[in-house]
Amino acid sequence: MIVIVKPEASAAQLEQLLNRIRELGLTPMVSQGAERTVVGLIGDERLVSDGVLESLPAVEQVMPILKPYKLVSREFKKTDSIVEVRGIPFGGPEIQVIAGPCSVETAEQMRRAAAAVRAAGCRLMRGGAFKPRTSPYTFQGVGDEGLDFFREAADAYDLPIVTELMDVRKIDVFLEKRVDVIQIGTRNMQNFDLLKEVGRLNVPVILKRGMSATIKEWLMAAEYIAAHGNHRIIFAERGIRTFETQYRNVLDVTAIPVLKKETHLPVIVDPSHAGGKAALVAPLAKAAIAAGADGLLIESHPCPEEAWCDADQALSPEQLTQLMGELRRVAEAVGRTL
């Protein structure tokens, strides 16, 4: 259920509405747009009898939300949401590119990687200090020390950092190291305890799609985060598992316009994990922008052939710079900037 607030309602009248919602045993979630303020009601809506809110001076209309995902739906907020990361917007006319290595390896590797990311024109940097791997015997990341390598290298080039959180026990470490964006990986998309905990943080979250998840399941996972107070959510399509074996995953380009219809939150794409091969990254990245993606997650490495993880899909610094030039032309063709 949502309450549409009258444009002329005063701050005191809005506070009266919020207090009344709390008295009814529900939690109000306020969304302030350019033209309208909307209040979402979280909890058992049966506690709200007909007419109990409509009589308040701030209320223009009370409407039910029919979608099972309430706060992330277009019904809750008609206009696109902008999620800012240190002043860098996701959503709107600008397309953002997050680039960097699959995994943090050494301090020197991260310094070289950060220099290449900045030189290519990317505004944020990715890197995994903790790596979920199919085999327990493969490289799992360098852990806490890797966050130090990452933070130091990125700070030298004023790059916000994006890294994956796998364990609720590491949240305090992530906050201490000033992680700018927490990534929830495909294997944890439905780790509901983890989603609840990041929902209690005031840190942007990139929520990757599960490898076999439907769009509805993906949206419901985002709802877990939003329902606990964090609305700074960015969806990331990274390819889904099908019967095809010629490439790593199938990039679901259709998911981009479908999500744009279903949610007000920004949508980005990871072409590196979708294709699994460096040669596939450029065409998939261009297709994503053409389909309306708000950003890209691209794997790059100072020396891809020496990468400790996912070497086949990493771009070299030269390839990343060339791709950024090509992507700018695609962005301009669809009326956006990169």
Side-chain angles (χ1 to χ4, degrees):
M1 182 179 294
I2 60 172
V3 177
I4 300 175
V5 178
K6 292 177 180 176
E8 67 273 15
S10 67
Q13 290 171 335
L14 176 59
E15 189 60 31
Q16 179 191 25
L17 168 63
L18 300 180
N19 288 335
R20 184 68 181 113
I21 292 170
R22 296 185 188 105
E23 289 170 3
L24 293 168
L26 291 95
T27 302
M29 293 286 184
V30 181
S31 173
Q32 293 184 315
E35 299 179 359
R36 277 285 189 269
T37 296
V38 175
V39 181
L41 278 60
I42 306 302
D44 187 353
E45 295 173 358
R46 292 174 298 180
L47 299 172
V48 183
S49 57
D50 290 342
V52 70
L53 295 177
E54 285 88 341
S55 60
L56 295 176
V59 176
E60 180 175 291
Q61 188 179 6
V62 178
M63 298 174 57
I65 295 181
L66 302 179
K67 302 286 187 182
Y69 37 90
K70 310 294 185 182
L71 298 173
V72 305
S73 73
R74 279 281 181 195
E75 290 179 273
F76 177 63
K77 188 170 185 281
K78 298 294 185 184
T79 57
D80 290 341
S81 289
I82 307 295
V83 175
E84 289 198 352
V85 180
R86 280 169 43 183
I88 300 170
F90 283 80
E94 285 188 27
I95 296 169
Q96 307 299 342
V97 177
I98 308 166
C102 173
S103 63
V104 178
E105 299 164 6
T106 66
E108 176 60 23
Q109 170 243 8
M110 293 306 288
R111 282 193 291 269
R112 293 171 60 198
V117 168
R118 171 56 74 185
C122 307
R123 299 181 69 187
L124 300 94
M125 186 174 176
R126 65 177 291 169
F130 305 91
K131 296 302 300 178
R133 305 300 298 277
T134 301
S135 170
Y137 306 114
T138 50
F139 174 61
Q140 308 288 312
V142 292
D144 293 3
E145 187 180 28
L147 288 178
D148 290 327
F149 296 160
F150 194 179
R151 183 80 270 171
E152 182 179 352
D155 283 350
Y157 294 91
D158 193 28
L159 293 166
I161 66 173
V162 178
T163 194
E164 182 170 350
L165 176 67
M166 296 169 53
D167 189 334
V168 294
R169 292 172 295 183
K170 289 295 181 184
I171 287 178
D172 287 343
V173 176
F174 272 50
L175 296 178
E176 178 189 336
K177 304 299 183 184
R178 297 177 290 111
V179 170
D180 297 287
V181 183
I182 292 174
Q183 177 180 297
I184 301 298
T186 183
R187 293 166 180 82
N188 277 313
M189 190 205 81
Q190 289 183 308
N191 182 340
F192 300 121
D193 287 338
L194 185 60
L195 299 180
K196 291 174 186 177
E197 290 303 317
V198 299
R200 296 184 176 101
L201 304 177
N202 185 27
V203 179
V205 177
I206 288 177
L207 180 64
K208 281 197 166 186
R209 184 180 185 178
M211 63 182 71
S212 300
T214 66
I215 287 177
K216 181 179 178 181
E217 289 169 338
W218 193 11
L219 288 160
M220 291 303 294
E223 190 73 11
Y224 265 90
I225 300 171
H228 285 80
N230 189 350
H231 293 198
R232 301 172 73 187
I233 305 166
I234 300 167
F235 289 92
E237 161 63 32
R238 45 79 70 200
I240 53 175
R241 176 176 288 174
T242 71
F243 55 84
E244 185 54 70
T245 58
Q246 194 71 15
Y247 35 84
R248 186 172 183 178
N249 295 292
V250 175
L251 178 64
D252 186 4
V253 178
T254 310
I256 303 167
V258 170
L259 276 177
K260 288 289 186 178
K261 177 177 177 291
E262 292 294 316
T263 181
H264 54 89
L265 295 166
V267 182
I268 66 175
V269 167
D270 181 344
S272 302
H273 277 92
K277 298 290 183 183
L280 298 177
V281 172
L284 294 182
K286 294 171 188 175
I289 290 179
D294 297 305
L296 298 167
L297 274 164
I298 294 177
E299 286 193 8
S300 62
H301 193 282
C303 189
E305 59 272 21
E306 296 179 3
W308 296 2
C309 177
D310 288 345
D312 287 352
Q313 64 197 40
L315 301 185
S316 68
E318 296 76 19
Q319 289 172 319
L320 180 62
T321 298
Q322 179 181 341
L323 176 59
M324 287 294 287
E326 295 171 358
L327 293 176
R328 287 189 183 93
R329 293 193 290 273
V330 178
E332 290 169 4
V334 295
R336 304 179 77 179
T337 59
L338 184 141

